[in-house]
Amino acid sequence: MAAPQGGGVVHPLEVDVPAPAPPVGEAQPQGRINGLPVLAGRPLGLVLRSTQLAAAVVALVVLVSAAEFPTVLSLRYHFGATVWQLAWCFFALIGDICAVGVGCSLQNIPALLTLVLGDLLTACLLQAAASMSEGVIFYVYKDLHLCAGHPCTRFQIVLVISFSGYFVLVSTFVLNSWALASRSLAGVLHPVE
């Protein structure tokens, strides 16, 4: 091999050598984020959305049945957040029914991003409203002892239902975020050739 002009160093030719195959019985290394069930457009997602919708309906019915809820600002805010949860869960449930029944795909990045952002917004609104309402009810019930003539028990039931709906909503948010991260990172970890 002749030395290049200018006294530079010659580097050997770089060749990609395939990695050796793992021994039989060992699992292949995974580049994607796997391990959690994909939720959007699957029966588990349909069940969780139905649970969220049922919690929102029950919370709304119990809240409206108490005649004094419009007089308390935090409960009006809670009413608005519950209506938002009801609307969001209804539309997300329609999407899941379409995906499970007809075969539409919710496994693409725009659909997953919409579900993740909607779940995040709804969870933030519901958690803020339920926490604020819980603080007011706790103050009225424990500190002022004014629940004798007020429907504090109904408000407490609404808060328990709202927090349970919130936890189901957070679970769908986490699972859909996981699926979105898995889809988004698939091209980075396993580039298309």
Side-chain angles (χ1 to χ4, degrees), residues 121-134:
L121 177 66
T122 305
C124 288
L125 283 173
L126 190 62
Q127 198 273 339
S131 295
M132 184 171 49
S133 297
E134 191 272 331

Side-chain angles (χ1 to χ4, degrees), residues 29 35 47 50 152 158 182 191:
V47 168
S50 300
C152 290
V158 166
S182 177

